[in-house]
Each structure stands twice: as C-alpha cells, then as structure tokens.
C-alpha cells in the first residue's frame, strides 16, 4: 500500500483544469473540467494515510476519506464510490461546493507540512460523476413497507437527505415544497457555474423513482397548516431553510435599483432554466450594462458578483466592512471572482444609496478599520473619519445574510418553540421540536449554514424519526394486545 500511496513528496498538488476567466465569464457552466482517470488516481495517491485522519474528523459527514482515496489510487473506483456514498447522500454535490479549505482539506496533514492538501473534494466529485456515467448509482433501496407515513416540509438538501433515508427504512414519504422544482437553494440559490442544475435534478429524479412523492407549489402555512400535516402523517420533518433577507439600513435603501440577493439569484437561475422571468427581461433583476455594487462578504455575495459579471455588467464592486482575512466567504470563491474582474473594496461599508427621484445612481461608502475585539473575540469594524468615497451604481444588491421566517405564525403553530434568533428549537439528541412527532433539520435549526451540514442533519433526523416511529408502533402493538 505504502508504495502506491504517500506520493505527496514527489507529486505536486493539482486540481482539475479551470477554464480561463474570460472564457468562463460569458456563460453559467461549471468552471472546472473533470479529472481524467489517471489524474484522479495520481492525486489520490498523494494521501499520507494518517493513523488519525483529521480530514475525516473535520468533514461534517465523517466521510471515510483515506480509504476511498486509497481505493482510487489503486484503480478500485467502484468500491471507492460505494464507500464514499455510504456516508454522503450527495457526494458529487459536496465535492463541487463544500468550502473544503475550511473543512476536510483545511485539516489535511500534508497541507500542514507545506506540500499542498490532497484534492479531496475534486476526487469525491470525480468518483460520483463516474458512478453516474457507468451506471453504478443504484435505485433507492426501498425498505419493507412499515405502513407509516412521513411528511417532509422543504425539498432542500436536508429534506432530500432525510427523504432518501426514510424511504430506505420503509416509510411512505411525501415532500412538500413551495417552489415548482425540488432542490431548495441547490436549484434556486447556488448558480450553475458552481453547481449545474442537472446534477441536482438527477438526484431528485432518483428519489421520485424510489417512491418519494413530491408535492410542489405547496406552501405549508398557505395550503395546509402544520396541524393538518400532523393528521396526514405519523411524523413531520421541517426543513424549510432560512429566507428572510437582512436589510440595508442606510438612507436611500428603498430606492428603485436596490434588490435582495436571493431575488436576484432566483431570477438568474430561473432564466437559465428557461422560465419566463419578467423582472429579468425588464432589467429590474438583470445586471447587463449596469454598474453593480454588492454589499456583503459571504458566499451569497460571491455568487451575486460572479452572476453580474456573466450577465454583462459594466462594472462589479463588492463592498465588505471587514478585511479579506475576516471574510466569511470561501477563499476559493474570492479568488475566482477576482480573476473574473470583480473589484473588492475591503474595509468599506455603505453610508447611503445616492440618486435622483428615488432611482439608485451610486453608493456613498466609508472606509472602516477593525477596532477592539467584541464579546465573541472578533474585531468590530468601525468607520474612519473623513473617509467617505463614492461609487457609481445603478444596481445595488443586498447580500447581508438571512434570518428565519416566523414559522410559528406562518404554520399556525403557536406551540412551535423558537430560539431568540427565530430558528426552530430542536432537542440536540432527538432532533424533535417542541411539538411531539415534529422534527427539524438544516438551516432552519442551525441558521444559514452549509449544504454538507444540511445533509448531515437530514440523515440524523431520519434516524431520529425512525426511533420515534418504531417506539410508537411498538407501543400501539402492545396496547392492542
Ligand atoms: C446564494 C447561496 C449560495 C450558497 N453557496 C453555498 C456553497 O457554495 N456551499 C455550501 O455548502 N452552502 C452554500 N450555501 C448554503 C446552503 O445552500 C444551505 O446551507 C443549504 O441549502 C440549507 O439546506 P436546507 O435543506 O436546510 O434549506 P434550503 O436549501 O433552503 O431548502 C429549504 C426548502 O424549503 C422550502 N420551503 C420553505 N418554506 C416552505 C413552506 N412554508 N412550505 C413548503 N416549502 C417551504 C423552500 O422552497 C426550499 O426549497 C449557499 C446559500 C446561498 C443562499
Ligand atoms: S463532504 Fe465536504 S467536507 Fe466532507 S469530504 Fe466531501 S468535500 Fe470534504
């Protein structure tokens, strides 16, 4: 084994080829090419097969990374795929969009010794894409019918991961979503240049073929209350994500031309999917030929700036109130945006949206500095004196993060307890909310987070619901005897 592995001293790290910035800026296709077989095996062979694999510990799914890297290096691709999908419901999606620099690859031991991390995400994507091509991806292994049904509210990664596992355990599963397509932010938030839509669609198709019933255009709160879902199903999972955009609290923020990030991204994704999007066609949610300023520094902001580039903006500037080192967005995404021509104004915050007759024409911004650390230990940004500057802007995109909607009110469920941040309160172990038989998973519990955590929560919630439903079925049987 050692002969084939531990090649990090002689083989440099190499990622799949990336399309040149000017070529990729004109379309919404993914920017990385696929690994060719020999390259995947060469890169997998760089793994040092640590006794204590920190990559595995820092992967939220605890993927068995060293073992599937070894199998890939040895050319045992089908086995490697089987092992990788045993712990991950969507390995090819995580391989594409996990911020690996903060998770598995961020704790790779050979990175710590200066050799450059193993390209774990790229190998994971390669294995599962290969599995789809070769027909190794099996239909959902539906368990023996238990005669119990489960309702899942939300077809994002948390809901989909739970639905798959519950089907494997033999439950009838109905997934409700207010959108017309399943996938949640994988379809309507994350742009195609990070994750092409057919990669998500083939996952949901597989679930539908495995008997998961999708009820789309169905909004819980409008089309049914939580109590009604409780009557239809033995148990319910809430996996609705967080969608209330934080507002820009500066003068002029209500002007025509100031838009919410998710409205902008949904319009772009819908347009790419071939839907009619009047707000895109009439220019309200289209950056073509405009000077665009995006306010914020997370993944959503990075997706907005890069979408604006692809729509043909005249200029794209990102305003972020902290510095590059303190930016929440992935380092990789910032680098991609810079390559594509986005200008970053670090340590800068908006003071006002300027313009005439309520139409945005610019942003007055102020330079910031990092002050003393606050209670969380993070340095708080504060405005500098006499440091205002102006930027041209006829489209201002607010990407300041998301809060949960008021679910108890929307669902007509006053007994659904929430935290002071508005996320659902769910017991750490049982994952059950304050309403018996109702469970919760994903962003609606954690606050805005990551796809890989949503998958982990969805899988855990399915197991927790199974324990609950098995205990109930056993109780009912004993009562009947
Ligand atoms: C622009 C953007 C880019 C991102 N980029 C990345 C990235 O690169 N990598 C990464 O790991 N994470 C990224 N994330 C975060 C990631 O998308 C989320 O953490 C993840 O999707 C959360 O999954 P979820 O299943 O909890 O919720 P969601 O994906 O939000 O899905 C929730 C679903 O519930 C539905 N729903 C909501 N309310 C109702 C209701 N009342 N009735 C019926 N259905 C309802 C919604 O329509 C939606 O389909 C990004 C997020 C955004 C916004
Ligand atoms: S799921 Fe994400 S964190 Fe885990 S191994 Fe894959 S890319 Fe890394």
């Amino acid at each position: 084994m050692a002969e084939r592995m531990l090649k990090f001293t002689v083989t440099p790290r190499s990622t799949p080829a990336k399309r040149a910035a000017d070529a990729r800026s004109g379309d919404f296709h993914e920017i990385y090419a696929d690994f060719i077989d020999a390259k995947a095996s060469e890169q997998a062979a760089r793994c040092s097969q640590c006794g204590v694999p920190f990559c595995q510990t820092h992967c939220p799914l605890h993927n068995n990374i060293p073992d599937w890297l070894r199998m890939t290096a040895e050319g045992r691709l089908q086995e490697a795929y089987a092992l990788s999908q045993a712990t991950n419901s969507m390995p090819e999606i995580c391989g594409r969009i996990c911020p690996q620099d903060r998770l598995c690859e961020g704790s790779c031991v050979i990175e710590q010794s200066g050799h450059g991390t193993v390209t774990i995400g790229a190998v994971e994507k390669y294995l599962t894409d290969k599995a789809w091509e070769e027909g190794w991806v099996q239909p959902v292994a539906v368990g023996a019918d238990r005669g119990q049904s489960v309702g899942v509210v939300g077809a994002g990664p948390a809901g989909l991961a739970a639905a798959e596992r519950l089907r494997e355990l033999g439950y009838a599963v109905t997934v409700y979503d207010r959108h017309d397509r399943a996938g949640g932010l994988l379809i309507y938030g994350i742009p195609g240049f990070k994750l092409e839509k057919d990669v998500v669609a083939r996952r949901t198709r597989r679930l539908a073929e495995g008997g998961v019933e999708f009820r789309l255009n169905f909004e819980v709160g409008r089309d049914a209350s939580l109590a009604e879902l409780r009557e239809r199903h033995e148990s319910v999972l809430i996996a609705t994500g967080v969608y209330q955009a934080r507002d820009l609290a500066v003068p002029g923020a209500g002007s025509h031309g100031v838009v919410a990030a998710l409205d902008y991204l949904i319009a772009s994704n819908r347009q790419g999917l071939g839907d009619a999007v009047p707000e895109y066609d009439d220019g309200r949610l289209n950056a073509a030929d405009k000077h665009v300023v995006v306010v914020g520094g997370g993944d959503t902001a990075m997706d907005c700036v890069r979408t604006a580039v692809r729509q043909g903006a005249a200029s794209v500037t990102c305003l972020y109130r902290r510095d590059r080192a303190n930016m929440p967005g992935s380092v990789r995404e910032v680098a991609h945006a810079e390559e594509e021509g986005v200008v970053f104004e670090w340590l800068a915050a908006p003071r006002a949206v300027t313009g005439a007759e309520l139409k945005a024409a610019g942003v007055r911004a102020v330079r910031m500095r990092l002050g003393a650390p606050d209670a969380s230990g993070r340095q708080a940004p504060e405005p500098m004196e006499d440091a205002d500057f102006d930027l041209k802007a006829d489209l201002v995109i607010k990407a300041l993060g998301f809060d949960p909607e008021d679910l108890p009110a929307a669902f007509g469920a006053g007994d659904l307890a929430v935290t002071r941040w508005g996320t659902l309160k769910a017991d750490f172990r049982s994952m059950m909310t304050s309403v018996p038989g109702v469970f919760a998973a994903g962003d609606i519990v954690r606050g805005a987070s990551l796809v890989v955590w949503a998958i982990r929560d969805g899988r855990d919630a399915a197991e927790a619901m199974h324990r609950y439903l098995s205990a109930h079925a056993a109780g009912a049987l004993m009562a009947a005897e």
Side-chain angles (χ1 to χ4, degrees):
M1 181 268 282
E3 204 179 302
R4 197 177 288 274
M5 302 302 289
L6 294 145
K7 297 283 191 236
F8 62 92
T9 51
V10 286
T11 309
R13 171 189 156 91
S14 150
T15 56
K18 188 161 66 163
R19 291 196 289 143
D22 55 348
R24 68 188 197 238
S25 299
D27 64 53
F28 282 82
H29 294 301
E30 287 178 11
I31 69 169
Y32 285 105
D34 297 331
F35 259 147
I36 53 165
D37 295 355
K39 201 74 186 165
S41 129
E42 172 206 276
Q43 288 296 306
R46 297 182 67 246
C47 172
S48 67
Q49 299 285 286
C50 311
V52 180
F54 293 106
C55 55
Q56 183 168 1
T57 316
H58 285 86
C59 164
L61 292 160
H62 301 313
N63 282 342
N64 194 343
I65 300 164
D67 282 357
W68 51 251
L69 286 174
R70 179 170 42 78
M71 290 171 181
T72 307
E74 292 169 358
R76 295 156 58 196
L77 299 182
Q78 193 166 354
E79 286 172 78
Y81 157 71
L83 190 60
S84 96
Q85 64 83 50
T87 48
N88 190 348
S89 318
M90 307 174 194
E92 73 284 30
I93 294 179
C94 292
R96 282 170 166 84
I97 61 170
C98 271
Q100 285 99 10
D101 47 3
R102 284 191 262 143
L103 300 171
C104 53
E105 295 180 15
S107 32
C108 174
V109 164
I110 64 171
E111 164 82 348
Q112 314 300 327
S113 64
H115 288 92
T117 164
V118 178
T119 51
I120 298 168
V123 175
E124 191 177 26
K125 165 185 179 292
Y126 160 82
L127 284 175
T128 314
D129 282 350
K130 182 98 184 155
W132 280 102
E133 268 165 47
E134 298 290 333
W136 302 336
V137 178
Q138 297 297 310
V140 178
V142 180
D145 185 6
R146 290 178 181 272
Q148 289 171 301
S149 96
V150 169
V152 175
V153 188
L160 295 179
E164 177 171 353
R165 191 69 199 114
L166 287 161
R167 223 32 221 128
E168 287 169 351
L169 290 164
Y171 296 97
V173 180
T174 306
V175 177
Y176 301 89
D177 201 290
R178 62 185 173 191
H179 275 308
D180 53 351
R181 291 181 179 89
L185 290 172
L186 302 178
I187 286 286
Y188 285 123
I190 299 172
F193 51 80
K194 276 166 55 182
L195 173 64
E196 286 182 9
K197 305 300 163 193
D198 53 355
V199 174
V200 184
R202 69 187 174 191
R203 279 279 161 205
T204 47
R205 212 163 34 242
R206 176 173 169 271
L207 293 185
E209 286 163 4
V212 172
E213 185 193 352
F214 284 97
R215 301 229 16 215
L216 302 175
N217 294 310
F218 189 110
E219 179 165 338
V220 177
R222 182 192 65 193
D223 300 313
S225 66
L226 183 60
E228 282 162 336
L229 287 196
R230 285 291 287 123
E231 278 168 28
R232 273 184 218 176
H233 304 286
E234 269 80 17
S235 180
V236 172
L237 175 68
I238 302 178
T240 48
V242 289
Y243 282 90
Q244 194 170 285
R246 291 191 192 131
D247 230 338
L248 188 59
V250 299
S255 305
H256 183 80
V258 181
V259 303
L262 207 51
D263 292 345
Y264 174 69
L265 292 172
I266 290 175
S268 173
N269 280 314
R270 279 197 179 283
Q271 199 267 340
L273 284 159
D275 295 352
V277 190
E279 304 85 353
Y280 177 88
D281 295 337
D282 68 17
R284 272 179 292 163
L285 294 176
N286 182 350
D289 302 323
K290 292 183 179 161
H291 295 283
V292 178
V293 171
V294 176
V295 185
D299 281 331
T300 304
M302 292 310 96
D303 288 350
C304 289
V305 291
R306 298 181 66 205
T307 295
V309 167
R310 283 159 176 78
Q311 289 178 345
S315 69
V316 185
T317 306
C318 179
L319 276 189
Y320 181 56
R321 62 194 180 133
R322 291 190 161 91
D323 59 4
R324 179 193 279 265
N326 285 288
M327 194 164 181
S330 153
V331 176
R332 181 180 61 188
E333 297 304 316
V334 178
H336 292 156
E338 283 182 323
E339 288 165 11
E340 291 165 11
V342 174
V343 175
F344 283 84
E345 293 285 359
W346 307 110
L347 289 163
R351 264 201 201 287
V353 177
T354 55
E357 292 174 15
L358 298 179
K359 187 174 176 333
V363 170
R364 168 135 326 139
V366 58
R367 300 269 168 222
M368 309 288 282
R369 67 174 154 239
L370 292 179
D374 60 17
S376 70
R378 216 170 162 208
Q379 281 183 284
E382 52 194 37
M384 291 166 66
E385 271 173 37
D386 299 324
D388 286 9
F389 63 102
D390 287 299
L391 292 167
K392 260 193 185 171
D394 26 26
L395 182 63
V396 179
I397 303 175
K398 305 175 281 187
L400 298 159
F402 301 95
D403 290 316
E405 292 157 276
D406 183 350
L407 279 200
F411 283 14
D415 49 349
L416 196 57
V418 294
T419 66
R420 65 190 160 111
W421 299 279
T423 47
L424 285 186
K425 264 191 189 165
D427 179 79
F428 173 67
R429 257 177 224 289
S430 72
M431 300 186 79
M432 191 146 75
T433 65
S434 55
V435 180
V438 176
F439 294 74
D443 280 6
I444 191 57
V445 178
R446 290 181 181 274
S449 179
L450 293 172
V451 169
V452 65
W453 278 114
I455 294 172
R456 164 76 192 268
D457 289 352
R459 293 169 67 97
D460 286 353
E463 299 298 339
M465 294 169 91
H466 177 50
R467 287 194 294 276
Y468 169 85
L469 288 165
S470 306
H472 267 247
L477 205 64
M478 277 166 64
E481 280 169 1

